[in-house]
Amino acid sequence: MATITPALTVVAGVPRITWTGVSTADTMVSWPLASGKKLHGAYQVSGTFGSATIKLQASLDNTTFFDMKDVNNTAISGTSAGYFEFATSAGYIKPASSGGTADNVDVVVILRS
């Protein structure tokens, strides 16, 4: 069991947050969204799923997290590689993984105001 801390890179002026090597047994560290504005983002997940479900969650207090939905009101969740777009005013985001064995997934989020 590992603690997965997100890494920030900036590509063409756009923040890119990446959680690398996510698996069901890991603890994901949240990313603070301190812009004070509603943000638009894109979520991409890829890798070896091993039957895992990977979803994106949001919180206002960095304690209680809820599953996020995309712009079509569909849960941001999947058992295979996928891409979603979303809008949020949340204070924190993080991926969550459940139900997998031998899973190793990369989660990437980009944000725009």
Side-chain angles (χ1 to χ4, degrees):
M1 180 157 112
T3 298
I4 308 296
T5 302
L8 173 68
T9 56
V10 178
V11 178
V14 178
R16 181 184 303 245
I17 303 134
T18 305
W19 290 263
T20 303
V22 169
S23 75
T24 300
D26 296 336
T27 300
M28 268 52 83
V29 175
S30 63
W31 185 265
L33 302 175
S35 73
K37 307 179 204 179
K38 184 173 185 177
L39 296 172
H40 299 272
Y43 165 90
Q44 179 175 299
V45 61
S46 60
T48 303
F49 284 77
S51 298
T53 299
I54 310 294
K55 53 190 170 182
L56 189 61
Q57 296 186 320
S59 173
L60 295 178
D61 61 9
N62 202 26
T63 301
T64 306
F65 282 83
F66 299 92
D67 296 348
M68 291 182 68
K69 294 187 177 179
D70 69 8
V71 295
N72 296 313
N73 205 32
T74 302
I76 299 176
S77 175
T79 57
S80 62
Y83 173 88
F84 296 86
E85 292 193 10
F86 63 90
T88 187
S89 296
Y92 303 86
I93 60 170
K94 71 176 185 176
S97 177
S98 63
T101 58
D103 45 324
N104 186 340
V105 177
D106 295 337
V107 176
V108 178
V109 172
I110 65 165
L111 299 167
R112 299 176 191 268
S113 56

XYZ file of all heavy atoms in Angstrom:
819
model
N 0.842 -1.172 0.000
C 0.000 0.000 0.000
C 0.887 1.234 0.000
O 1.724 1.412 0.858
C -0.909 -0.019 1.226
C -1.808 1.173 1.305
S -3.248 0.859 2.301
C -2.900 1.919 3.679
N 0.668 2.087 -0.978
C 1.474 3.302 -1.120
C 0.580 4.525 -1.033
O -0.629 4.448 -1.224
C 2.199 3.295 -2.462
N 1.203 5.642 -0.743
C 0.514 6.922 -0.796
C 0.901 7.573 -2.108
O 2.085 7.796 -2.362
C 0.908 7.810 0.397
O 0.509 7.142 1.597
C 0.237 9.164 0.315
N -0.089 7.862 -2.944
C 0.165 8.432 -4.267
C -0.074 9.943 -4.194
O -1.202 10.396 -4.012
C -0.738 7.804 -5.347
C -0.652 6.279 -5.323
C -0.408 8.378 -6.712
C 0.709 5.723 -5.658
N 1.005 10.698 -4.324
C 0.954 12.153 -4.302
C 0.936 12.663 -5.734
O 1.758 12.245 -6.547
C 2.172 12.721 -3.543
O 2.166 12.182 -2.220
C 2.140 14.228 -3.490
N 0.013 13.552 -6.066
C -0.059 14.045 -7.434
C 1.132 14.930 -7.786
O 1.700 15.602 -6.916
C -1.363 14.838 -7.471
C -1.597 15.239 -6.062
C -1.008 14.162 -5.208
N 1.485 14.921 -9.054
C 2.557 15.782 -9.566
C 1.932 16.825 -10.481
O 0.993 16.530 -11.220
C 3.575 14.955 -10.338
N 2.462 18.036 -10.430
C 1.983 19.121 -11.273
C 3.010 19.430 -12.344
O 4.195 19.595 -12.062
C 1.734 20.381 -10.440
C 1.390 21.648 -11.229
C 0.029 21.508 -11.895
C 1.426 22.863 -10.316
N 2.532 19.500 -13.587
C 3.329 20.023 -14.685
C 2.456 21.056 -15.386
O 1.230 21.035 -15.254
C 3.750 18.927 -15.687
O 2.585 18.252 -16.166
C 4.693 17.933 -15.060
N 3.079 21.962 -16.099
C 2.339 22.952 -16.862
C 2.730 22.784 -18.322
O 3.910 22.864 -18.666
C 2.623 24.389 -16.365
C 1.876 25.400 -17.201
C 2.251 24.516 -14.890
N 1.737 22.516 -19.162
C 1.968 22.302 -20.587
C 1.213 23.396 -21.342
O -0.007 23.497 -21.226
C 1.478 20.901 -21.025
C 1.671 20.705 -22.506
C 2.188 19.824 -20.224
N 1.948 24.236 -22.039
C 1.363 25.351 -22.795
C 0.470 26.213 -21.906
O -0.603 26.637 -22.307
C 0.601 24.843 -24.010
N 0.911 26.427 -20.672
C 0.184 27.276 -19.735
C -0.995 26.615 -19.047
O -1.718 27.265 -18.298
N -1.215 25.320 -19.298
C -2.349 24.604 -18.712
C -1.848 23.652 -17.617
O -0.998 22.805 -17.888
C -3.110 23.808 -19.789
C -4.255 23.022 -19.186
C -3.599 24.735 -20.891
N -2.370 23.789 -16.379
C -1.955 22.880 -15.304
C -2.392 21.449 -15.586
O -3.526 21.208 -15.978
C -2.671 23.413 -14.067
C -3.263 24.710 -14.436
C -3.327 24.785 -15.918
N -1.472 20.520 -15.390
C -1.736 19.092 -15.571
C -1.361 18.389 -14.268
O -0.201 18.433 -13.849
C -0.902 18.557 -16.731
C -1.101 17.098 -17.016
C -0.168 16.641 -18.123
N -0.372 17.420 -19.326
C -0.836 16.933 -20.467
N -1.136 15.659 -20.565
N -0.999 17.708 -21.510
N -2.344 17.761 -13.631
C -2.129 17.059 -12.372
C -2.164 15.566 -12.667
O -3.116 15.076 -13.297
C -3.217 17.428 -11.347
C -3.235 18.951 -11.143
C -3.006 16.721 -10.028
C -4.588 19.540 -11.161
N -1.135 14.828 -12.210
C -1.023 13.410 -12.534
C -0.805 12.583 -11.275
O 0.080 12.887 -10.475
C 0.148 13.168 -13.501
O -0.015 13.995 -14.657
C 0.224 11.718 -13.930
N -1.633 11.568 -11.120
C -1.431 10.536 -10.106
C -0.943 9.310 -10.882
O -1.657 8.788 -11.731
C -2.732 10.190 -9.390
C -3.275 11.238 -8.484
C -3.104 11.313 -7.127
C -4.112 12.348 -8.825
N -3.785 12.402 -6.623
C -4.405 13.056 -7.642
C -4.638 12.819 -10.023
C -5.205 14.192 -7.626
C -5.429 13.948 -10.011
C -5.705 14.626 -8.827
N 0.271 8.848 -10.608
C 0.892 7.772 -11.378
C 0.947 6.486 -10.563
O 1.332 6.507 -9.394
C 2.316 8.169 -11.791
O 2.244 9.392 -12.541
C 2.977 7.109 -12.636
N 0.583 5.370 -11.181
C 0.677 4.066 -10.528
C -0.394 3.814 -9.493
O -0.161 3.128 -8.497
N -1.584 4.321 -9.719
C -2.697 4.157 -8.784
C -3.142 2.691 -8.759
O -3.303 2.063 -9.796
C -3.882 5.056 -9.219
C -5.140 4.714 -8.450
C -3.510 6.523 -9.074
N -3.328 2.154 -7.551
C -3.905 0.815 -7.402
C -4.895 0.828 -6.243
O -4.930 1.756 -5.432
C -2.823 -0.244 -7.183
O -2.311 -0.180 -5.879
N -5.695 -0.212 -6.171
C -6.776 -0.279 -5.182
C -6.273 -0.155 -3.753
O -6.931 0.441 -2.913
C -7.563 -1.593 -5.375
O -8.098 -1.593 -6.694
C -8.685 -1.724 -4.377
N -5.110 -0.675 -3.456
C -4.598 -0.651 -2.080
C -3.986 0.698 -1.692
O -3.665 0.916 -0.531
C -3.554 -1.747 -1.910
N -3.847 1.610 -2.638
C -3.163 2.880 -2.379
C -4.077 3.934 -1.762
O -5.292 3.895 -1.896
C -2.586 3.449 -3.676
C -1.505 2.568 -4.266
O -0.890 1.803 -3.506
O -1.309 2.638 -5.486
N -3.426 4.906 -1.123
C -4.099 6.094 -0.617
C -3.747 7.239 -1.553
O -2.573 7.529 -1.762
C -3.621 6.425 0.811
O -3.927 5.316 1.659
C -4.280 7.679 1.331
N -4.771 7.889 -2.115
C -4.537 8.998 -3.029
C -4.584 10.317 -2.261
O -5.523 10.567 -1.513
C -5.597 9.029 -4.140
C -5.211 8.271 -5.384
S -4.669 6.585 -5.169
C -6.179 5.705 -5.089
N -3.574 11.158 -2.465
C -3.532 12.484 -1.870
C -4.346 13.419 -2.768
O -4.205 13.390 -3.989
C -2.071 12.982 -1.736
C -2.021 14.407 -1.237
C -1.285 12.044 -0.822
N -5.178 14.237 -2.152
C -6.031 15.142 -2.930
C -5.225 16.324 -3.455
O -4.134 16.633 -2.976
C -7.184 15.649 -2.069
O -6.690 16.400 -0.993
N -5.814 17.003 -4.450
C -5.228 18.205 -5.032
C -6.133 19.382 -4.694
O -7.330 19.343 -4.970
C -5.092 18.055 -6.540
C -4.386 19.235 -7.135
C -4.947 20.342 -7.679
C -2.983 19.443 -7.180
N -3.972 21.226 -8.082
C -2.753 20.688 -7.780
C -1.882 18.679 -6.766
C -1.476 21.198 -7.974
C -0.625 19.190 -6.976
C -0.427 20.435 -7.577
N -5.585 20.456 -4.101
C -6.422 21.622 -3.778
C -6.715 22.467 -5.016
O -5.836 22.710 -5.836
C -5.574 22.398 -2.773
C -4.162 22.024 -3.101
C -4.209 20.611 -3.625
N -7.959 22.888 -5.123
C -8.387 23.769 -6.213
C -8.688 25.123 -5.593
O -9.804 25.396 -5.196
C -9.636 23.217 -6.906
C -9.511 21.817 -7.486
C -10.849 21.357 -8.040
C -8.443 21.767 -8.556
N -7.692 25.958 -5.492
C -7.817 27.206 -4.734
C -8.033 28.427 -5.611
O -7.706 29.523 -5.225
C -6.569 27.391 -3.872
N -8.616 28.247 -6.778
C -8.745 29.376 -7.690
C -9.851 30.346 -7.288
O -9.824 31.502 -7.673
C -9.030 28.886 -9.108
O -10.358 28.422 -9.199
N -10.835 29.886 -6.516
C -11.960 30.737 -6.164
C -12.964 30.879 -7.294
O -13.920 31.632 -7.202
N -12.758 30.170 -8.404
C -13.645 30.232 -9.561
C -14.104 28.823 -9.909
O -13.471 27.845 -9.543
C -12.928 30.761 -10.791
C -12.225 32.050 -10.660
C -11.574 32.355 -12.004
C -10.410 33.278 -11.817
N -9.749 33.576 -13.055
N -15.163 28.761 -10.679
C -15.569 27.481 -11.243
C -14.526 27.095 -12.280
O -14.132 27.911 -13.111
C -16.942 27.590 -11.891
C -17.469 26.278 -12.405
C -18.892 26.443 -12.873
C -19.470 25.113 -13.266
N -20.881 25.257 -13.664
N -14.057 25.865 -12.208
C -13.043 25.375 -13.133
C -13.635 24.349 -14.080
O -14.522 23.577 -13.712
C -11.890 24.734 -12.361
C -11.092 25.650 -11.446
C -10.123 24.844 -10.605
C -10.347 26.684 -12.274
N -13.117 24.338 -15.276
C -13.458 23.321 -16.257
C -12.244 22.420 -16.379
O -11.106 22.888 -16.330
C -13.804 23.958 -17.599
C -14.979 24.863 -17.492
N -16.270 24.424 -17.628
C -15.057 26.175 -17.211
C -17.097 25.427 -17.446
N -16.385 26.513 -17.198
N -12.498 21.132 -16.518
C -11.374 20.221 -16.572
C -11.640 19.020 -17.457
O -12.762 18.773 -17.899
N -10.582 18.287 -17.685
C -10.643 17.032 -18.411
C -9.918 15.986 -17.580
O -8.915 16.274 -16.922
C -9.982 17.175 -19.779
N -10.455 14.779 -17.584
C -9.955 13.659 -16.798
C -9.675 12.513 -17.754
O -10.536 12.164 -18.571
C -11.036 13.278 -15.783
C -10.905 11.943 -15.105
C -10.200 11.825 -13.924
C -11.538 10.816 -15.614
C -10.119 10.602 -13.269
C -11.461 9.594 -14.962
C -10.750 9.496 -13.794
O -10.668 8.292 -13.139
N -8.469 11.974 -17.681
C -8.110 10.832 -18.520
C -7.478 9.775 -17.644
O -6.651 10.087 -16.779
C -7.125 11.269 -19.599
C -6.683 10.148 -20.506
C -5.805 10.666 -21.622
O -6.234 11.476 -22.422
N -4.571 10.199 -21.664
N -7.845 8.537 -17.865
C -7.302 7.432 -17.092
C -6.887 6.327 -18.058
O -7.568 6.056 -19.041
C -8.328 6.946 -16.031
C -9.601 6.460 -16.659
C -7.742 5.913 -15.120
N -5.710 5.718 -17.779
C -5.210 4.649 -18.640
C -4.288 3.750 -17.832
O -3.788 4.149 -16.782
C -4.457 5.226 -19.842
O -3.361 6.002 -19.397
N -4.076 2.553 -18.318
C -3.171 1.623 -17.661
C -3.770 0.238 -17.565
O -4.641 -0.148 -18.335
N -3.319 -0.519 -16.571
C -3.792 -1.877 -16.316
C -4.824 -1.821 -15.207
O -4.504 -1.442 -14.079
C -2.620 -2.791 -15.900
O -1.637 -2.760 -16.935
C -3.087 -4.216 -15.669
N -6.056 -2.193 -15.492
C -7.152 -2.019 -14.548
C -7.361 -3.212 -13.630
O -7.832 -3.039 -12.504
C -8.440 -1.668 -15.294
C -8.449 -0.243 -15.756
C -7.719 0.145 -16.867
C -9.149 0.713 -15.062
C -7.709 1.457 -17.284
C -9.137 2.039 -15.463
C -8.417 2.406 -16.585
N -7.053 -4.431 -14.055
C -7.206 -5.595 -13.187
C -8.567 -5.638 -12.502
O -8.659 -5.923 -11.319
N -9.631 -5.303 -13.233
C -11.017 -5.254 -12.740
C -11.291 -4.087 -11.793
O -12.358 -4.024 -11.192
C -11.422 -6.560 -12.068
O -11.360 -7.624 -12.990
N -10.363 -3.175 -11.635
C -10.575 -2.024 -10.751
C -11.531 -1.019 -11.386
O -11.612 -0.902 -12.602
C -9.251 -1.326 -10.450
N -12.233 -0.302 -10.537
C -13.037 0.842 -10.941
C -12.313 2.086 -10.456
O -12.007 2.206 -9.268
C -14.437 0.782 -10.320
O -15.092 -0.405 -10.782
C -15.260 2.007 -10.694
N -12.014 2.988 -11.374
C -11.321 4.236 -11.034
C -12.308 5.374 -11.235
O -12.943 5.476 -12.281
C -10.087 4.472 -11.933
C -9.190 3.243 -11.978
C -9.323 5.703 -11.478
C -8.528 2.890 -10.679
N -12.438 6.234 -10.220
C -13.358 7.358 -10.327
C -12.691 8.625 -9.826
O -11.655 8.570 -9.171
C -14.647 7.081 -9.573
C -14.451 6.676 -8.138
C -15.764 6.181 -7.563
C -15.566 5.536 -6.220
N -16.820 5.020 -5.678
N -13.292 9.745 -10.150
C -12.806 11.038 -9.684
C -13.774 11.532 -8.620
O -14.993 11.462 -8.794
C -12.725 12.035 -10.837
C -12.038 13.369 -10.530
C -10.589 13.163 -10.100
C -12.100 14.292 -11.739
N -13.212 12.021 -7.508
C -14.023 12.495 -6.394
C -13.691 13.939 -6.055
O -12.592 14.411 -6.341
C -13.806 11.615 -5.163
C -14.261 10.193 -5.371
C -14.170 9.381 -4.111
O -13.217 9.499 -3.347
N -15.160 8.534 -3.882
N -14.650 14.618 -5.405
C -14.485 16.023 -5.030
C -14.922 16.226 -3.588
O -15.722 15.468 -3.047
C -15.316 16.907 -5.947
N -14.376 17.295 -2.974
C -14.690 17.620 -1.588
C -14.607 19.124 -1.385
O -13.822 19.806 -2.050
C -13.690 16.935 -0.654
O -13.869 17.349 0.684
N -15.389 19.628 -0.445
C -15.266 21.021 -0.029
C -14.336 21.168 1.161
O -13.741 22.221 1.365
C -16.644 21.601 0.321
C -17.624 21.709 -0.842
C -18.953 22.248 -0.343
C -17.067 22.569 -1.951
N -14.198 20.094 1.973
C -13.439 20.186 3.218
C -12.198 19.299 3.278
O -11.518 19.247 4.291
C -14.348 19.879 4.409
C -14.936 18.468 4.359
O -14.518 17.654 3.505
O -15.829 18.187 5.176
N -11.887 18.573 2.206
C -10.740 17.668 2.138
C -10.862 16.504 3.126
O -9.878 15.884 3.470
C -9.409 18.408 2.334
C -8.230 17.643 1.756
O -8.385 16.849 0.833
N -7.057 17.868 2.294
N -12.077 16.232 3.578
C -12.330 15.114 4.485
C -13.373 14.175 3.905
O -13.156 12.969 3.827
C -12.792 15.623 5.867
O -11.769 16.463 6.400
C -13.049 14.478 6.827
N -14.503 14.724 3.522
C -15.588 13.936 2.962
C -15.607 14.133 1.450
O -15.778 15.257 0.976
C -16.937 14.376 3.561
O -16.842 14.312 4.982
C -18.066 13.486 3.079
N -15.399 13.039 0.710
C -15.332 13.096 -0.755
C -16.557 12.433 -1.368
O -17.092 11.459 -0.842
C -14.055 12.410 -1.263
C -12.844 13.266 -1.093
C -12.170 13.317 0.108
C -12.383 14.053 -2.140
C -11.062 14.129 0.278
C -11.275 14.868 -1.986
C -10.614 14.902 -0.775
N -16.991 12.993 -2.506
C -18.139 12.494 -3.240
C -17.744 12.254 -4.689
O -16.878 12.945 -5.226
C -19.287 13.518 -3.192
C -19.750 13.791 -1.790
C -19.204 14.834 -1.051
C -20.714 12.987 -1.203
C -19.615 15.077 0.249
C -21.135 13.228 0.101
C -20.597 14.273 0.826
N -18.403 11.295 -5.328
C -18.125 10.996 -6.732
C -18.547 12.170 -7.600
O -19.614 12.743 -7.421
C -18.877 9.744 -7.170
C -18.405 8.507 -6.421
O -17.366 8.561 -5.747
O -19.095 7.474 -6.526
N -17.686 12.539 -8.543
C -17.976 13.627 -9.473
C -18.729 13.110 -10.692
O -18.653 11.931 -11.026
C -16.677 14.300 -9.931
C -15.987 15.073 -8.844
S -14.484 15.899 -9.429
C -15.163 17.125 -10.537
N -19.413 14.038 -11.352
C -20.112 13.729 -12.601
C -19.565 14.622 -13.702
O -19.080 15.720 -13.432
C -21.607 13.930 -12.434
C -22.180 12.921 -11.443
C -23.661 12.980 -11.388
C -24.148 11.898 -10.431
N -25.596 11.914 -10.303
N -19.665 14.137 -14.934
C -19.167 14.913 -16.065
C -20.227 15.911 -16.532
O -21.287 16.056 -15.909
C -18.689 13.995 -17.194
C -19.805 13.239 -17.893
O -21.002 13.497 -17.634
O -19.479 12.371 -18.727
N -19.955 16.587 -17.624
C -20.856 17.625 -18.130
C -22.198 17.056 -18.599
O -23.155 17.803 -18.764
C -20.198 18.457 -19.263
C -19.016 19.241 -18.736
C -19.782 17.563 -20.423
N -22.283 15.743 -18.788
C -23.535 15.088 -19.178
C -24.230 14.427 -17.993
O -25.129 13.621 -18.168
C -23.276 14.047 -20.268
C -22.767 14.689 -21.529
O -23.316 15.680 -21.995
N -21.691 14.145 -22.077
N -23.762 14.738 -16.772
C -24.306 14.186 -15.529
C -24.074 12.678 -15.401
O -24.844 11.966 -14.777
C -25.792 14.523 -15.380
C -26.216 14.529 -13.929
O -25.429 14.858 -13.034
N -27.459 14.171 -13.670
N -22.995 12.198 -16.002
C -22.594 10.799 -15.917
C -21.448 10.689 -14.920
O -20.522 11.508 -14.940
C -22.122 10.296 -17.298
O -23.190 10.462 -18.237
C -21.699 8.849 -17.252
N -21.486 9.688 -14.062
C -20.414 9.495 -13.084
C -19.064 9.382 -13.787
O -18.948 8.691 -14.803
C -20.677 8.248 -12.261
N -18.072 10.061 -13.254
C -16.711 9.964 -13.781
C -16.098 8.718 -13.154
O -15.525 8.755 -12.069
C -15.900 11.234 -13.469
C -16.564 12.448 -14.131
C -14.456 11.073 -13.944
C -15.901 13.769 -13.817
N -16.280 7.605 -13.831
C -15.910 6.300 -13.296
C -15.741 5.332 -14.456
O -16.474 5.411 -15.442
C -17.019 5.811 -12.364
O -16.773 4.521 -11.902
N -14.781 4.421 -14.338
C -14.612 3.452 -15.406
C -13.748 2.275 -15.007
O -12.994 2.338 -14.036
N -13.866 1.211 -15.779
C -13.075 0.001 -15.569
C -12.104 -0.238 -16.721
O -11.515 -1.295 -16.826
C -14.003 -1.217 -15.416
O -14.831 -1.305 -16.584
C -14.880 -1.096 -14.170
N -11.968 0.777 -17.563
C -11.008 0.730 -18.670
C -10.621 2.165 -19.008
O -11.189 3.116 -18.461
C -11.621 0.028 -19.890
O -12.744 0.744 -20.354
N -9.668 2.306 -19.904
C -9.194 3.637 -20.273
C -10.371 4.512 -20.693
O -11.311 4.042 -21.331
C -8.180 3.538 -21.406
N -10.321 5.792 -20.290
C -11.428 6.673 -20.629
C -11.076 8.136 -20.463
O -10.026 8.497 -19.920
N -12.006 8.968 -20.940
C -11.835 10.418 -20.931
C -13.174 11.059 -20.583
O -14.222 10.633 -21.090
C -11.371 10.879 -22.314
C -11.316 12.372 -22.483
C -10.176 13.083 -22.136
C -12.407 13.081 -22.978
C -10.123 14.464 -22.288
C -12.362 14.457 -23.134
C -11.219 15.139 -22.784
O -11.172 16.489 -22.925
N -13.157 12.060 -19.709
C -14.355 12.787 -19.312
C -14.025 14.278 -19.235
O -12.892 14.640 -18.938
C -14.824 12.362 -17.910
C -15.254 10.932 -17.796
C -14.325 9.924 -17.552
C -16.586 10.589 -17.911
C -14.726 8.613 -17.423
C -16.997 9.266 -17.780
C -16.067 8.277 -17.543
N -15.033 15.118 -19.440
C -14.898 16.552 -19.197
C -15.856 16.928 -18.078
O -16.934 16.346 -17.943
C -15.193 17.342 -20.467
C -14.126 17.125 -21.518
C -14.188 18.112 -22.661
O -14.940 19.101 -22.568
O -13.489 17.887 -23.645
N -15.442 17.916 -17.242
C -16.256 18.282 -16.089
C -16.105 19.764 -15.780
O -15.213 20.438 -16.276
C -15.864 17.448 -14.861
C -14.439 17.660 -14.401
C -14.131 18.650 -13.473
C -13.410 16.871 -14.887
C -12.821 18.845 -13.049
C -12.093 17.062 -14.466
C -11.808 18.051 -13.544
N -17.000 20.259 -14.916
C -16.918 21.599 -14.355
C -17.107 21.442 -12.849
O -17.922 20.628 -12.402
C -17.990 22.502 -14.931
N -16.344 22.201 -12.048
C -16.445 22.051 -10.602
C -16.103 23.344 -9.869
O -15.309 24.142 -10.360
C -15.532 20.912 -10.092
O -15.780 20.700 -8.704
C -14.054 21.229 -10.295
N -16.696 23.489 -8.729
C -16.348 24.560 -7.791
C -15.788 23.957 -6.509
O -15.657 24.649 -5.491
C -17.585 25.400 -7.477
O -18.047 26.038 -8.628
N -15.485 22.678 -6.524
C -14.982 21.968 -5.345
C -13.654 22.552 -4.872
O -12.929 23.192 -5.639
C -14.797 20.488 -5.663
N -13.342 22.293 -3.631
C -12.076 22.742 -3.069
C -10.936 21.760 -3.293
O -9.769 22.148 -3.300
N -11.290 20.463 -3.482
C -10.278 19.412 -3.620
C -10.794 18.335 -4.568
O -11.992 18.070 -4.609
C -9.997 18.748 -2.260
C -9.568 19.717 -1.207
C -10.499 20.400 -0.437
C -8.217 19.972 -0.985
C -10.114 21.311 0.532
C -7.822 20.878 -0.020
C -8.766 21.547 0.735
O -8.376 22.443 1.682
N -9.883 17.699 -5.280
C -10.218 16.547 -6.109
C -9.187 15.457 -5.878
O -8.042 15.731 -5.472
C -10.290 16.880 -7.618
C -8.942 17.416 -8.122
C -11.434 17.813 -7.916
C -8.869 17.539 -9.642
N -9.595 14.216 -6.150
C -8.666 13.083 -6.094
C -9.306 11.885 -6.772
O -10.538 11.783 -6.832
C -8.286 12.730 -4.663
C -9.396 12.089 -3.861
C -8.904 11.671 -2.487
C -9.999 10.923 -1.728
N -9.514 10.421 -0.449
N -8.482 10.969 -7.287
C -9.029 9.724 -7.811
C -9.268 8.738 -6.667
O -8.684 8.873 -5.585
C -7.930 9.216 -8.747
C -6.670 9.790 -8.199
C -7.054 11.088 -7.542
N -10.108 7.765 -6.919
C -10.335 6.668 -5.978
C -10.398 5.380 -6.784
O -10.908 5.362 -7.902
C -11.631 6.883 -5.205
N -9.862 4.310 -6.220
C -9.826 3.019 -6.894
C -10.427 1.965 -5.973
O -10.193 1.969 -4.776
C -8.381 2.657 -7.232
O -8.310 1.386 -7.828
N -11.202 1.054 -6.571
C -11.775 -0.031 -5.775
C -11.910 -1.294 -6.625
O -12.010 -1.225 -7.846
C -13.154 0.367 -5.231
O -14.053 0.598 -6.292
N -11.882 -2.433 -5.949
C -12.197 -3.702 -6.582
C -11.157 -4.312 -7.490
O -11.449 -5.309 -8.153
N -9.962 -3.791 -7.536
C -8.985 -4.307 -8.480
C -7.956 -5.229 -7.861
O -7.748 -5.249 -6.664
N -7.321 -6.004 -8.726
C -6.153 -6.797 -8.350
C -5.118 -6.596 -9.438
O -5.436 -6.611 -10.623
C -6.498 -8.298 -8.231
O -7.032 -8.754 -9.466
C -7.505 -8.547 -7.122
N -3.898 -6.354 -9.042
C -2.787 -6.118 -9.967
C -3.064 -4.930 -10.881
O -2.665 -4.914 -12.035
C -2.469 -7.370 -10.778
N -3.780 -3.925 -10.354
C -4.067 -2.739 -11.153
C -2.946 -1.721 -11.009
O -2.295 -1.639 -9.975
C -5.423 -2.122 -10.782
C -5.666 -2.017 -9.283
O -5.243 -2.911 -8.539
O -6.292 -1.032 -8.859
N -2.696 -0.980 -12.069
C -1.659 0.043 -12.104
C -2.099 1.072 -13.140
O -1.935 0.868 -14.330
C -0.316 -0.579 -12.473
C 0.811 0.415 -12.389
O 0.603 1.619 -12.420
N 2.020 -0.095 -12.290
N -2.687 2.166 -12.656
C -3.371 3.109 -13.529
C -2.795 4.505 -13.347
O -2.414 4.895 -12.241
C -4.884 3.109 -13.209
C -5.628 4.119 -14.024
C -5.471 1.716 -13.428
N -2.731 5.262 -14.426
C -2.336 6.670 -14.376
C -3.569 7.532 -14.585
O -4.363 7.289 -15.495
C -1.301 6.989 -15.455
C 0.009 6.251 -15.226
O 0.299 5.860 -14.079
O 0.748 6.059 -16.209
N -3.726 8.536 -13.721
C -4.849 9.467 -13.796
C -4.286 10.853 -14.085
O -3.373 11.304 -13.397
C -5.635 9.486 -12.466
C -6.737 10.523 -12.516
C -6.185 8.103 -12.141
N -4.837 11.506 -15.112
C -4.387 12.849 -15.483
C -5.600 13.773 -15.508
O -6.630 13.435 -16.087
C -3.706 12.850 -16.874
C -3.292 14.271 -17.263
C -2.520 11.903 -16.894
N -5.466 14.948 -14.873
C -6.508 15.969 -14.880
C -5.878 17.266 -15.365
O -4.802 17.649 -14.888
C -7.113 16.163 -13.472
C -8.062 17.354 -13.443
C -7.827 14.899 -13.011
N -6.529 17.932 -16.306
C -6.117 19.279 -16.673
C -7.229 20.234 -16.273
O -8.394 19.858 -16.236
C -5.747 19.441 -18.162
C -6.951 19.225 -19.060
C -4.612 18.534 -18.548
C -6.736 19.710 -20.476
N -6.855 21.472 -15.935
C -7.818 22.452 -15.437
C -7.706 23.750 -16.196
O -6.607 24.209 -16.514
C -7.558 22.720 -13.959
C -7.688 21.508 -13.038
C -7.107 21.823 -11.676
C -9.139 21.087 -12.928
N -8.850 24.355 -16.454
C -8.911 25.678 -17.095
C -9.984 26.490 -16.380
O -11.011 25.959 -15.999
C -9.284 25.552 -18.569
C -8.295 24.747 -19.371
C -8.783 24.584 -20.806
N -8.032 23.621 -21.547
C -6.975 23.895 -22.292
N -6.531 25.124 -22.374
N -6.355 22.956 -22.965
N -9.721 27.790 -16.227
C -10.731 28.627 -15.575
C -11.598 29.308 -16.597
O -11.367 29.278 -17.762
C -10.079 29.658 -14.670
O -9.173 30.437 -15.384
